[in-house]
């Protein structure tokens, strides 16, 4: 169904140069079949592992790499880190049977995260996102904004969609998962609150309770009630644990002083 590893299919009507990487031949065949059928794909290369993928990339640039995560040797995450250091890094779309790498994938700047078995319509959506990401201005300020506001993959009716981190108002722990609350609703993602607290600290998210992480600048009130302190975000009261109260007060005061001195 697909060319042998390293060979290319060319579509005269397309314009995207694509590399597909998967160590399982049936999965690579299926991925290549769907990509080759899309009229936007001009050139398709395939590789059975990261080493072969890097060899192909030395011979020429591609616009996007569709990449499996769990592979022997250099895995997909490690390969993506290598690709990010390229002078002109390609877009990355992870294609995997697992959802436990989604947050790490988007920390690496992935354009999309597709679950196996792949569907033609889902890959078509990924290509649309790749095209959108390729036409974003490459001015350093634009790239900096993209780095400052990464996206988080969320599942909606069987489709993985990207939620900007800036849309998250507060986060609630639910076991090994976290529920991201936005102005429009909430979304459950497979990542611990502790992990998000560490990764998002520089973006202004602060831990106020063992079960809650909030965006500091969105706190409307810190209020004393009978059972202790609560913070108010979007008219929602969230408890503040005793161990976090002093640190939270200090951060609110510092933030207020910074705003006042601007």
């Amino acid at each position: 169904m697909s060319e042998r590893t390293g060979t290319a299919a060319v579509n005269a009507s397309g314009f995207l140069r694509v590399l597909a990487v998967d160590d399982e031949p049936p999965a690579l065949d299926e991925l290549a079949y769907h990509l080759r059928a899309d009229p936007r794909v001009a050139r398709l290369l395939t590789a059975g592992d990261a080493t072969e993928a890097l060899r192909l990339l030395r011979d020429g640039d591609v616009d996007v790499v569709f990449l499996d995560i769990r592979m022997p040797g250099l895995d997909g995450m490690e390969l993506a880190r290598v690709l990010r250091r390229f002078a002109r890094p390609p877009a990355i779309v992870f294609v995997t049977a697992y959802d436990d790498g989604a947050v790490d994938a988007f920390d690496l700047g992935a354009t999309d995260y597709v679950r196996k078995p792949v569907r033609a319509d889902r890959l078509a959506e990924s290509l649309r996102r790749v095209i959108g990401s390729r036409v974003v201005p490459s001015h350093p300020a634009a790239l900096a904004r993209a780095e400052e506001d990464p996206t988080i993959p969320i599942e909606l009716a069987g489709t993985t969609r990207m939620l900007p981190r800036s849309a998250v108002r507060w986060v609630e722990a639910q076991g090994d998962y976290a529920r991201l609350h936005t102005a429009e609703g909430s979304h459950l993602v497979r990542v611990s609150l502790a992990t998000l607290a560490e990764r998002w600290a520089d973006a202004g998210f602060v831990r106020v309770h063992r079960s809650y992480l909030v965006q500091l600048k969105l706190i409307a009130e810190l209020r004393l009630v009978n059972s202790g302190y609560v913070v108010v975000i979007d008219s929602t009261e969230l408890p503040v644990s005793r161990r976090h109260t002093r640190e939270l007060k200090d951060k609110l005061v510092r933030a207020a002083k910074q705003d006042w001195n601007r």
Side-chain angles (χ1 to χ4, degrees), residues 78-99:
E78 293 166 329
L79 177 57
R81 293 186 180 95
V82 173
L83 299 181
R84 286 193 67 185
R85 295 197 292 268
F86 280 25
R88 297 181 62 183
I92 300 293
V93 174
F94 285 103
V95 183
T96 176
Y98 307 94
D99 62 3

Side-chain angles (χ1 to χ4, degrees), residues 74-206:
L74 196 69
D75 67 21
M77 291 291 182
E78 293 166 329
L79 177 57
R81 293 186 180 95
V82 173
L83 299 181
R84 286 193 67 185
R85 295 197 292 268
F86 280 25
R88 297 181 62 183
I92 300 293
V93 174
F94 285 103
V95 183
T96 176
Y98 307 94
D99 62 3
D100 55 357
V103 172
D104 288 333
F106 286 92
D107 278 350
L108 288 172
T111 301
D112 206 354
Y113 191 93
V114 179
R115 291 289 303 278
K116 295 179 181 179
V118 296
R119 306 190 319 268
D121 60 336
R122 186 65 184 86
L123 287 178
E125 171 66 12
S126 289
L127 290 170
R128 184 192 66 76
R129 292 175 182 171
V130 168
I131 293 168
S133 71
R134 296 288 91 179
V135 300
V136 171
S138 57
H139 189 278
L143 295 176
R145 285 194 296 271
E147 287 292 323
E148 290 169 2
D149 192 16
T151 54
I152 305 99
I154 58 172
E155 292 290 330
L156 291 173
T159 299
T160 304
R161 297 193 182 279
M162 263 43 65
L163 177 72
R165 183 176 62 189
S166 60
V168 179
R169 320 286 285 181
W170 50 282
V171 185
E172 179 182 5
Q174 294 192 348
D176 294 331
Y177 290 74
R179 183 167 293 280
L180 311 180
H181 291 264
T182 70
E184 290 76 31
S186 66
H187 310 280
L188 195 65
V189 295
R190 189 173 180 180
V191 60
S192 70
L193 192 72
T195 297
L196 288 183
E198 179 181 351
R199 293 180 178 177
W200 290 5
D202 292 340
F205 283 84
V206 296

